[in-house]
Structure formats: structure tokens, C-alpha cells
Amino acid sequence: MTSLEQDIPPFIVSNSALGDSVELKRRMAQDGYLFFKNLISQESIGRTRQEITTLLQSADWLKPGTAALDAVAAPGANYVEPAPDYMQVYSELIKGEEFNRLALDPNLVAMLDTLFGEPTLAHSRNIARIIFPHNTLYTTPSHQDYIHIQGAMETYTAWIPLGDCPKELGSLAVLQGSHKTGLLPVESAYGAGGLGINTESLPYTWIGSDFERGDVVVFHSLTVHKALPNLADEQIRLSVDFRYQPLSHPIDKSSLMPHHSRLTWEEIYANWKSDEAKYYWRDLPIRYAGHDPKALELRASANQPKKETETP
Ligand SMILES: O=C(O)CCC(=O)C(=O)O
């Protein structure tokens, strides 16, 4: 099944620029994103998928009699962040050792070190998405990440599906070159983040590709992006989004907290087998940023009723 939203040009593949700092920077500056085939360890993705789907199965979110790894939704199941029933399972998910270790994928960090020309600071607020089919109202709306994360504008998101993710399963689309517009006004919206941007008048093109396991798209904090609707009959779209910045740039404190700040790191780490990836940022020379008043103002105005003079 396809829709017009899925009928968009593909990402440019940047594997040929790996290791070339000048070319990676040029492409990112021009398009606001980089897309790589098979960059992320397929084994780590497989282990993370196993960890998460086992959890979903034990929560009865998957169809009885199907293999957990297939992520087939139980009939009628439809859970959405941040509803309490979603958050109960999600709070277990973000304790996952494989999930959190995936954010430190050596090939991804090496690419970012090359892009930045200095060591990378990986944010530890790692995020996973469990996107049910038949729920397109809650498809992630068009937005820029900066308004949510603040800190350094030179922050980049890596969006990684946990397995093959054709566009029909609800992969990520990017508005090519849109990072050049600066921070845009937002309005309340359904879907992750709850804030959307009206992109109708923006002079850019939506692009996006079918992802295979190991593929990743990395984009700037001002690049407008959205999810495509999950049009699958039964399959849940599983993905992660992790954030990174040059170590010398300031970071907002919340980017080093667990997602949603409901758990402590001690709770997250309680059952990990290895200590290797715990608190990896604690001995780094981190600089903290204050809140950005422009981002706060735009967020506040999204929730204001429209003035009479404004067109609806
Ligand atoms: O996966 C999604 O639906 C949302 C991802 C996203 O907006 C992001 O990675 O910033």
C-alpha cells in the first residue's frame, strides 16, 4: 500500500564521503542530512530488536502465535506515547543494555568525529519509537529537533530503524535544505513531540528512502523532518533516535538525562551485564548551555489561542 506522502525522491547515499571531513561537511551544509547504507552494526541492531520485541511480547502487545522479532501487533493493540499504558512498557524499554549501547555504535561515532573534526559527545537521552499501524493521526509531525533539545545548534540526530523499514512502514522523511531557514514557528500537533511546523510555503522538497537494516539518516537540529505514516497491515515500526554534538559545544543538561526523566541512571543500569558503557560522559570536559529564550518563546506561543486578527 502506498500514499502520495510516500511518493518522494530518495536520499543521496553518502558512503563514498566516509572518512572525508570536507565532503561530509559540504553535503551536510548543503542538504541538512547525510544518509548511509549499512553503516550501523547489523548485529547490534538485531540484538536491540530482540531485546525490545521480547519486552513487547511479554506486555501482550504482539499477536499471539507470531515470532516476537516480526513485531506483528496484537489485534486491536494501539499504544501511543506518552499515554500511561505506553509509558509503563517504555520505562522498561529504556533500561535496555543493547538499546543504550547501540547509540555508541563505533562506525557512527567515527563518522561524526570526522564530520565535526573533533571528538563527538553522544547525548545519553536515547529514544525509541514503537509505532503501531492503523494510527496515522499520531504520525510524527513536521518539526525541527532544536526546539525540543536546545543546547548546541550543531546537534545532529541519527534515526535508525531496528530492521528493514520501507517507506510504507513509516520511515523518516527530511525536508532537504530546510536547516537554512532558522528556527521556525510551531503549532500544537498530534504525534511525537506534540509540536508541528506548517511546511506548505517552504521552498524545499520532501525526500526519503526505503531503509534496510544498518542504514541511518543523520540530520541537523534545524532540519525539518517528519515520519511517514505506518501503512502496514499489522507490523509495528521500531526505530531509535540518538543525538550527537561536537564535545566542545555547550549542551542542555536534560540531554544527559534518561528520556522523560522518570528514571535515574542507577535504575536504568541496575541489570546491565557490563559496566563499559555506563556514565561514559561523566569524565568528559562538558560545557552546559542556558535555555534558549527564542525556543522557549516559540514553544509557549504554540499553545496560545489565535488572535482575532490571525487567519485560522
Ligand atoms: O521516529 C519518529 O516517528 C520520530 C523521530 C524524530 O522525529 C526524530 O528522530 O527527531
Side-chain angles (χ1 to χ4, degrees):
M1 199 200 297
T2 56
S3 79
L4 275 182
E5 261 194 287
Q6 263 97 357
D7 194 13
I8 49 178
F11 294 132
I12 293 164
V13 178
S14 281
N15 289 57
S16 63
L18 281 169
D20 181 342
S21 182
V22 173
E23 183 57 11
L24 289 176
K25 278 190 209 303
R26 191 192 69 75
R27 291 181 185 211
M28 184 60 91
Q30 176 181 288
D31 297 326
Y33 81 94
L34 294 165
F35 177 68
F36 300 99
K37 297 290 301 170
N38 196 19
L39 183 69
I40 312 296
S41 158
Q42 296 205 18
E43 293 70 33
S44 302
I45 290 178
R47 288 196 299 271
T48 307
R49 186 175 180 89
Q50 175 89 55
E51 184 176 85
I52 293 178
T53 53
T54 302
L55 174 67
L56 300 189
Q57 192 171 50
S58 63
D60 293 330
W61 286 15
L62 302 184
K63 188 173 179 175
T66 62
L69 276 175
D70 292 341
V72 178
N78 204 350
Y79 301 96
V80 178
E81 185 183 3
D85 45 9
Y86 185 100
M87 294 310 296
Q88 208 179 341
V89 172
Y90 188 70
S91 294
E92 288 305 309
L93 186 161
I94 61 168
K95 294 179 185 169
E97 185 168 359
E98 295 296 342
F99 159 64
N100 283 285
R101 291 184 70 125
L102 184 59
L104 303 176
D105 180 271
N107 286 346
L108 178 60
V109 174
M111 186 284 291
L112 291 160
D113 288 350
T114 309
L115 175 70
F116 299 153
E118 66 166 280
T120 297
L121 172 59
H123 294 192
S124 49
R125 181 177 48 200
N126 298 323
I127 301 180
R129 312 282 176 183
I130 308 162
I131 307 292
F132 280 80
H134 309 293
N135 197 12
T136 54
L137 179 65
Y138 285 91
T139 301
T140 303
S142 308
H143 68 281
Q144 297 168 306
D145 278 357
Y146 180 77
I147 199 152
H148 297 291
I149 52 183
Q150 301 178 52
M153 278 215 176
E154 293 305 305
T155 296
Y156 295 83
T157 297
W159 188 88
I160 307 167
L162 297 175
D164 293 350
C165 185
K167 285 181 279 182
E168 290 70 31
L169 191 55
S171 59
L172 202 87
V174 160
L175 200 56
Q176 183 174 21
S178 55
H179 61 302
K180 296 172 189 161
T181 55
L183 195 55
L184 293 162
V186 287
E187 51 198 35
S188 299
Y190 290 105
L195 295 175
I197 291 173
N198 185 341
T199 60
E200 271 164 35
S201 61
L202 296 178
Y204 303 105
T205 305
W206 283 108
I207 54 171
S209 290
D210 295 330
F211 286 68
E212 294 174 300
R213 178 180 297 207
D215 298 351
V216 57
V217 64
V218 178
F219 51 90
H220 188 272
S221 73
L222 292 180
T223 302
V224 180
H225 59 284
K226 66 177 180 181
L228 297 171
N230 179 357
L231 301 177
D233 286 338
E234 303 184 288
Q235 202 186 344
I236 298 171
R237 184 257 279 172
L238 295 172
S239 61
V240 293
D241 37 277
F242 303 140
R243 289 168 185 80
Y244 307 87
Q245 63 174 82
L247 177 57
S248 67
H249 292 213
I251 184 171
D252 190 276
K253 274 200 167 65
S254 63
S255 295
L256 294 172
M257 298 287 293
H259 189 210
H260 289 292
S261 299
R262 295 180 183 206
L263 299 174
T264 62
W265 286 114
E266 288 69 26
E267 287 167 323
I268 295 218
Y269 294 151
N271 294 318
W272 285 29
K273 295 194 193 81
S274 158
D275 291 337
E276 208 185 308
K278 294 180 180 173
Y279 303 112
Y280 62 85
W281 64 94
R282 287 220 168 146
D283 293 330
L284 297 175
I286 288 174
R287 289 201 298 130
Y288 290 101
H291 286 303
D292 181 336
K294 177 86 193 299
L296 294 180
E297 186 192 313
L298 287 175
R299 286 179 71 126
S301 68
N303 299 319
Q304 297 300 315
K306 286 190 188 307
K307 295 197 194 94
E308 278 174 28
T309 49
E310 282 178 328
T311 47

